[in-house]
Amino acid sequence: MAHAYDAVVVGSGPNGLAAAVRLAQEKLSVLVLEAAKTIGGGVRSAELTLPGFTHDVCSAIHPLALGSPFFRQLPLEKHGLRWIHPDFPLAHPLSGAQAAVLHRSIETTAGEFGQDAEAYKKLFSHLVRNWDDLAVEFLQPMLHWPRHPWLLGRFGLKALHSSSSLIQSRFRSEPARALFAGLAAHSFLPLEQRPSAAFGLVLGGLGHSVGWPLPKGGSQYIAEALASVLRSLGGEIKTGIRVEHLDEAPLARATLFDVTPRQFLRIAGDRLPSSYRDRLQKFRYGPGVFKMDFALSSPIPWKAEACARAGTVHVCGAWEEVALSERQVFEGKPPDRPFVLLAQPTLFDTTRAPAGKHIAWAYCHVPHGSTFDMTVRIEGQIERFAPGFRDCILARHSLDTAEMEQRNANLVGGDINGGLADLRQLIARPVLSLTPYRTPIPGVYLCSSSTPPGGGVHGMCGFHAAQAALKDVFV
Ligand SMILES: Cc1cc2nc3c(=O)[nH]c(=O)nc-3n(C[C@H](O)[C@H](O)[C@H](O)COP(=O)(O)OP(=O)(O)OC[C@H]3O[C@@H](n4cnc5c(N)ncnc54)[C@H](O)[C@@H]3O)c2cc1C
């Protein structure tokens, strides 16, 4: 039977779009099918609160996109994407009017850590100096023959620690400890668990080497730029089409699924050998998130001045409080004083709210599948470090884990990373293989963040899945 397309990609998240672009670069005919009405998956923007206020439904801050070896090769700026760098990538308020700040410069950051200045420089300098070479090593399956074994080995010695042991062995001052704890908490692992330190090192390293930028106009511009590159190469996109079974996808020589293992089992389970099905069934999802967006009458009135110059603010206080919040999540309890990740785009991009008005984007980690309403607790944490915050709120919008999964089936139980990133699943993602994108069905691939290198907007899962298809099917 004739193939309608060379390749079909199911799902238009950053990984689906990256896979489609990579295949179209080889002059293949490519169709992307997206279940939602709009493209983008985790890179979508919408007026969630009031007219004229543009919020990011999922991702907002993009060190991984700017640092992505594949996205860097694409003419995304020519296709409408503009990066904005806040004055400071990140601030972390502490007691009084104090805050730890991650500056672009390691020297400036370390200079504010007093007795920990040398320890901070020692921790990050090697990583940042060799960022480009190391990024290529991290952003592919862990099982590979490294091009830079010494660099990777040196990084691994630090990264394989738990963040609590790294924090206590290297730092004495509260600001350095809190800053690293906040970075490491992006792992969704308890800080006592390995390899949570790896996330702190990579995100801190990205802050110093590429920055933590946001796209002008909102994250949707990343999806639109990728889609525009794809169309310029002859690719097609159709929205509002959910593929429920393999047979429903148009005939193609290669079909790539930007979905997680649980969905793939529903879509293709009856075609999979039981051994592979068993392995996918054992794939574990991580905690979820409770997401909030605010329309504000003014900027957030932070006690610590530095917070008003940062794109991202980690709101929780001392490192022990961050550790407690993440531990509670892992034990299945909605945290009493959550670790809140907050972004304030309109301090740097006035296009996203009416003149003089502002938006804030915030989420906290919650147990997998939790529908507990965290509104009061999230607002309470912000108010603690910015008294008067509640008085600035014009409107709010929230999404619990179930509502998020309803909008995007990849957010299983509210897990935003496509599966837990513990030691086991960093290596076996979703299965232990040199090419984990390949499934046992010839010509069928997985390309979502449930494959290496995992969560975040970088498109590298899609890129590597497309490379596997190019090698197997389109030699
Ligand atoms: C609240 C939140 C905040 C985040 N913050 C950040 C951040 O600041 N920075 C960052 O780098 N990352 C962030 N992330 C993570 C990031 O968004 C994801 O890791 C990334 O989007 C994963 O890309 P993906 O292409 O694998 O999947 P997704 O982006 O989830 O896209 C999957 C797409 O496939 C579609 N789909 C699923 N099933 C089907 C089907 N059967 N048929 C057709 N279409 C289907 C979905 O509708 C969706 O559009 C955040 C995520 C969330 C939810």
Side-chain angles (χ1 to χ4, degrees), residues 188-251:
F188 280 85
L189 298 171
L191 299 195
E192 297 78 18
Q193 191 169 320
R194 292 189 304 150
S196 53
F199 289 79
L201 290 167
V202 169
L203 285 173
L206 274 164
H208 293 305
S209 48
V210 305
W212 282 26
L214 44 138
K216 184 171 182 195
S219 291
Q220 184 81 44
Y221 277 80
I222 298 178
E224 298 301 340
L226 285 166
S228 175
V229 172
L230 176 63
R231 291 190 185 106
S232 73
L233 296 167
E236 286 175 53
I237 302 176
K238 291 185 185 168
T239 55
I241 300 177
R242 182 178 299 281
V243 175
E244 310 272 13
H245 191 271
L246 201 49
D247 294 339
E248 293 172 13
L251 266 189

Side-chain angles (χ1 to χ4, degrees), residues 9-17 33-36 38-44 56-65 186 219 241-245 257-260 263 267 289-291 361-363 399 404 407-411 414-418 447-450 454-459 461:
V9 178
V10 177
S12 70
N15 285 312
L17 291 172
L33 296 175
E34 167 55 50
T38 55
I39 61 161
V43 278
R44 261 185 258 243
D56 288 325
V57 184
C58 300
S59 63
I61 302 293
H62 293 286
L64 288 162
H186 283 251
S219 291
I241 300 177
R242 182 178 299 281
V243 175
E244 310 272 13
H245 191 271
F257 284 91
D258 185 5
V259 307
T260 79
Q263 297 144 274
I267 292 170
V289 306
F290 186 91
K291 165 84 193 314
W361 164 106
Y363 71 83
L399 290 170
M404 282 204 300
R407 283 175 172 248
N408 175 355
N410 283 33
L411 304 175
D415 178 344
I416 68 173
N417 282 330
C447 70
S448 73
S449 60
S450 304
V457 175
H458 42 65
C461 314

Side-chain angles (χ1 to χ4, degrees), residues 8 10 17 29 60 86 109-111 170 191 206 284 311 417 427 432 459:
V8 167
V10 177
L17 291 172
S29 59
T109 308
R170 296 202 177 228
L191 299 195
L206 274 164
R284 283 171 310 136
N417 282 330
I427 299 167
L432 189 65

Side-chain angles (χ1 to χ4, degrees), residues 2 71 73 90 113 115 122 124 146 173 272 301 307 324:
F71 286 173
Q73 293 170 18
L90 168 69
F113 290 154
Q115 57 179 332
K122 205 168 156 202
F124 280 105
S173 72
L272 296 169
C307 295
L324 175 63

Side-chain angles (χ1 to χ4, degrees), residues 423-459:
L423 210 44
R424 189 176 118 195
Q425 291 197 168
L426 273 181
I427 299 167
R429 193 168 185 91
V431 295
L432 189 65
S433 161
L434 289 172
T435 314
Y437 313 94
R438 214 177 262 148
T439 74
I441 308 172
V444 174
Y445 298 84
L446 284 169
C447 70
S448 73
S449 60
S450 304
T451 61
V457 175
H458 42 65

